[in-house]
Amino acid sequence: MRPTLLLFLLYLLPAITMAGTLRGRITDENNQGLPFASIYIKETASGTASNDQGNYQLQLPAGTYTLEFKYVGYRARIETVTIGEGAQELNVQLLPEVLNLKEVVVKAADEDPAYGIMRNAIRLRKYHRDEVNAWSARVYMKGVARMDKVPGKVLGVRVVDVDTGIVYLSESVSELHFKKPNKVNERVISSKVSGKKQGFSFNQASEMNISFYDNLLKVEGLSERGFVSPLANNALFFYRFEYQGTFEENGRTINKIKVIPRRKNDPVFQGNIYIVDGSWRIHSTDLTLTKNAGIDFVDFIRVRQVYAPVQEEVWMPVSQRFTFEASGLGFKGGGYATGVYSRYKVQPAYSRPPSVVEPEPEVVEDAMAVEVKPARRQRARVIEPVIATPEEQPAIHDEKLFSREVLVVEKEANTRDSAYWAEIRPVPLTEEEQVDYQRKDSLEVIRESRVYKDSVDRIRNKPTFGSFFTRGYTYNNTYERRFFRIDPLLSLTGGPSVLQFNTVEGTVLNVGMEYRQNFEDRRYYELEPTIRYGFANEKLNAKLRLSYTYNPIKRSSVSVEGGRFVDQINSTNPISPFANTVYTLLMERNYLKLYQRDYGRVTYRSEILNGVTILTSLDYSHRMPLENSTDYTLRESSSGNFTSNVPENAELADASFDPHQALTAAFTVAFRPGMNYISRPDRKINIGSRWPTFSLGYRGGIKALGGDVRYTTLALRISDDFSLGLLGSSEYSVTGGSFWGKENMQLMDYRHFNGNRTIFAGVYTGFQLLDYYRYSTSNRYLEGHYEHHFNGFLFNKIPLFRKLKWQEVVSLHYLNTRELENYLELGLGIEHIFKVLRVDFFTSFQKRQKVHTGLRFGFGF
């Protein structure tokens, strides 16, 4: 996956072979170290940054260089140094910026000058976002996470192998390339993870290259909605701005603007942004997101960026730093992600930048003062930029560089020694980080030993009431890379349970187990036996599944399964054991309909091409009907509402069947065009596409080897999910199919749909009020599902809901079959109740007539 909770910042790396070293410390007016101050080398358009103690180092060829030392909120300082062989020291003190206020008399009724500055910056936002057609850079990244407080237990589960202090420390160096409109290529050439010499960092420079020139900033794992930029086209609807003053830097006037949210709970930033006067571009940022902005998992995030000219008037970020703190479930900690860009190559999009022509201000003289008023009724005029000619846009990339492989981690990336990192690392390690590397690298041998891992496993493997009752018990042998798991006694989430009840078998013991053996190269095999006994019908069933994943890159696996077991007649398995048990014992509703079969099945799965996955299976079954064997209920008096184990179906006068054999083959190919992916030495990670997924499925009954059933069905499915920015996110699926060549088909061969008749929400991409069997079909059908999560867009306007952090969701579900005709379900729901629960109210319509309504309760994270 891409990094979800840790944000990795970017820092500038030396550009060429080093011959001399310049090091020192950057301090403030009180001689305190300035963390992550920027050092920019004008001659090479490269630079570095100080560490969080203010120390820096530069390794450069012999020569004379002009260095600019910058820190947000402080006056820049320029030093000229001559580098020779050996080491030199240069300590630099930066003083706070002295802001000059424009000599303007501003009355209470007049607009703050910040608005004029920000309007100009907003007018030129798109130009500054698109001022280069292509660029490349080397990116150094470092991510650090630390724990300040660790609880003994979380939700009853003992916390082991987690200590206070640094818990994650990683560095990486990448070659990053970009080309309009959205082509990206990143190659991680070196990677280092503290305590894991063979590990690879999950730093991803391309993912963390956020820009406030975008209207909406989306960082995966922080929020489902994204955050409005202070430079967005609609920023004035979300922000107030206050003019703080100006300062001079290299002949440019820099405006400091205070950024203030208009409403407390909007998805917005607060802090300061610095705008270059005249060009109206970002000079630097110091902005913060708080819990009020809707961020998940962390308490706040502070974003600091520094821009610099890398080619004439083309400015690019030279350093970024994200700092965060988080707390919850007894944990408390924080960290940062930082990075530096260097070795920039850019291809400008324009040969002449745009300009803003302001209307003439109104000057009013009186006896007391000269008052200058902005010309409010006239709009500033933008003189458009001149697009660069092909001769003015020399190519900096080979077109073959860009493909669907957006990031690749080189196999040798984790083999670099300490001498390599000492030479290439632009930001010195702090003392704490040096100690962490030394301690964890030396302890790695111990932590990887059998003795240590067995001692940790002894703590993890201690059984608890919760593990057996609701979660299932897992026994780990970490050193041997294997584990054993047994199902919980009672699963509330719809998974398998050891203890069940139904009218066919009565009280059921369904003991499911899993044994898994992992290998170092991420191959693994699984052995899954299940034994089931019904006390009322006195039938013993058992099955065994063996699977082997032999190619982790293509996720290729093969499995063999067989035995004698019971299955739901509805092959989508819409009824959970827990829901059926509750409704059978308390409500006298036996929705679960079962049959028994002796079977064997072989399944194969693989991604044969990028974005193309196949799944095929061959199944041979001897199917046998089952009957109810008990009418037991916990109700004081039985009303005789239990129904036969033979379900009712609109296409069958009688859905019962005699024992028979069925040979069934299935083949599905799923294709998502334009699938982007990440290549790591041990895996391939698909990260999505702007195209939906197209799936074509075949299933057929074959009259061979004694099979009595014959039919053919084909189905086409299209599905996708997408973001609507602040309005939330949506997901949909549409499936259509038909049958032909039918002979001796049984109800279990029909096309079934995910229905639901209980208050426990079933699959949210299924139906919530539809009968489980009545409209299963052996003819043509069309099925569609749509769900939209507003992610708080509406509820954030309601103080109580905003405080509770509840979020709204709407859904639409449609089905058309020969017997059902047009069927529609509409749902309105609230999710994130107590963070994990969801409640929906559904209404169904058939043939334009209202049919049912109902509440459904489930999980909505």
Side-chain angles (χ1 to χ4, degrees), residues 191-439:
S191 169
K192 184 177 178 66
V193 181
S194 180
K196 295 183 179 180
K197 292 182 179 179
Q198 301 303 314
F200 292 94
S201 170
F202 278 92
N203 293 350
Q204 186 175 344
S206 53
E207 185 66 17
M208 299 315 305
N209 185 32
I210 70 168
S211 172
F212 284 97
Y213 291 123
D214 291 327
N215 282 318
L216 195 67
L217 285 76
K218 298 208 71 173
V219 180
E220 190 159 340
L222 280 185
S223 171
E224 297 168 320
R225 290 196 294 168
F227 309 98
V228 180
S229 167
L231 270 66
N233 292 338
N234 59 347
L236 295 180
F237 178 76
F238 290 93
Y239 291 99
R240 290 189 297 109
F241 300 107
E242 289 184 3
Y243 176 71
Q244 302 293 295
T246 65
F247 60 92
E248 298 296 317
E249 181 180 288
N250 297 330
R252 301 181 181 93
T253 300
I254 313 300
N255 298 284
K256 180 180 181 180
I257 307 297
K258 187 175 182 179
V259 177
I260 307 168
R262 283 192 178 273
R263 290 166 293 275
K264 182 179 178 180
N265 295 97
D266 279 346
V268 293
F269 296 84
Q270 60 188 44
N272 296 296
I273 189 168
Y274 298 77
I275 303 295
V276 181
D277 202 75
S279 65
W280 313 113
R281 64 171 71 249
I282 296 175
H283 167 274
S284 53
T285 66
D286 188 358
L287 298 168
T288 300
L289 289 169
T290 67
K291 281 284 191 183
N292 291 332
I295 56 177
D296 298 327
F297 309 114
V298 294
D299 298 329
F300 77 84
I301 295 174
R302 185 180 180 187
V303 183
R304 283 175 283 184
Q305 296 178 314
V306 175
Y307 284 73
V310 297
Q311 180 177 312
E312 298 179 358
E313 282 302 308
V314 176
W315 289 48
M316 300 292 288
V318 295
S319 69
Q320 297 189 75
R321 174 177 168 84
F322 290 71
T323 307
F324 66 92
E325 287 188 5
S327 59
L329 298 175
F331 290 96
K332 186 175 182 180
Y336 67 85
T338 186
V340 183
Y341 291 91
S342 65
R343 302 190 185 186
Y344 265 114
K345 295 180 181 179
V346 298
Q347 184 188 71
Y350 306 102
S351 60
R352 188 186 70 191
S355 59
V356 178
V357 179
E358 297 283 357
E360 292 293 329
E362 177 185 358
V363 180
V364 180
E365 297 187 23
D366 59 27
M368 300 298 296
V370 176
E371 181 181 349
V372 182
K373 294 184 176 181
R376 295 183 180 179
R377 297 183 180 179
Q378 301 180 43
R379 182 180 177 87
R381 182 166 57 91
V382 177
I383 299 178
E384 296 297 326
V386 176
I387 298 175
T389 64
E391 292 75 18
E392 296 172 315
Q393 301 181 33
I396 63 172
H397 295 131
D398 183 349
E399 191 63 30
K400 295 180 181 179
L401 180 68
F402 299 100
S403 66
R404 296 301 173 188
E405 186 182 50
V406 299
L407 183 146
V408 58
V409 180
E410 294 184 349
K411 291 183 179 180
E412 300 79 17
N414 64 350
T415 61
R416 318 297 187 185
D417 59 17
S418 57
Y420 166 87
W421 282 102
E423 179 180 338
I424 203 170
R425 180 186 290 123
V427 182
L429 295 174
T430 64
E431 292 182 8
E432 184 184 27
E433 291 164 356
Q434 293 177 31
V435 171
D436 188 76
Y437 269 132
Q438 295 168 359
R439 183 176 66 88

Side-chain angles (χ1 to χ4, degrees), residues 764 787-788 790 794-795 807-813 825-831 838-843 854-856:
Y764 283 113
E787 189 169 75
H788 181 74
F790 283 95
L794 299 176
F795 279 7
Q807 296 184 3
E808 58 278 32
V809 57
V810 298
S811 59
L812 182 151
H813 308 277
E825 286 183 6
L826 299 177
L828 295 173
I830 301 174
E831 56 186 351
R838 172 173 167 175
V839 179
D840 292 81
F841 178 78
F842 287 93
T843 303
L855 285 172
R856 297 294 182 261

Side-chain angles (χ1 to χ4, degrees), residues 171-184:
E171 299 175 277
S172 66
V173 177
S174 302
E175 300 288 352
L176 181 60
H177 309 272
F178 172 83
K179 185 175 182 180
K180 285 184 181 178
N182 55 3
K183 294 182 178 180
V184 177

Side-chain angles (χ1 to χ4, degrees), residues 610-631:
N610 178 48
V612 181
T613 300
I614 61 169
L615 175 64
T616 183
S617 65
L618 185 66
D619 184 293
Y620 187 86
S621 298
H622 174 64
R623 300 165 171 174
M624 295 162 283
L626 293 172
E627 297 178 350
N628 289 340
S629 60
T630 181
D631 59 359

Side-chain angles (χ1 to χ4, degrees), residues 775-804:
Y775 298 107
S776 299
T777 185
S778 63
N779 295 288
R780 53 95 187 140
Y781 60 90
L782 179 65
E783 177 184 8
H785 302 277
Y786 175 80
E787 189 169 75
H788 181 74
H789 303 262
F790 283 95
N791 299 335
F793 177 76
L794 299 176
F795 279 7
N796 275 356
K797 312 297 188 296
I798 304 173
L800 177 61
F801 288 174
R802 182 174 62 232
K803 186 175 182 179
L804 293 171

Side-chain angles (χ1 to χ4, degrees), residues 404 607 609-613 670-677 687-695 717-720:
R404 296 301 173 188
E607 184 181 32
L609 296 170
N610 178 48
V612 181
T613 300
F671 173 47
R672 187 162 193 183
M675 176 67 78
N676 296 315
Y677 64 95
I687 58 174
S689 165
R690 64 186 181 91
W691 290 91
T693 300
F694 301 89
S695 301
R717 183 175 188 267
I718 303 174
S719 61
D720 198 9

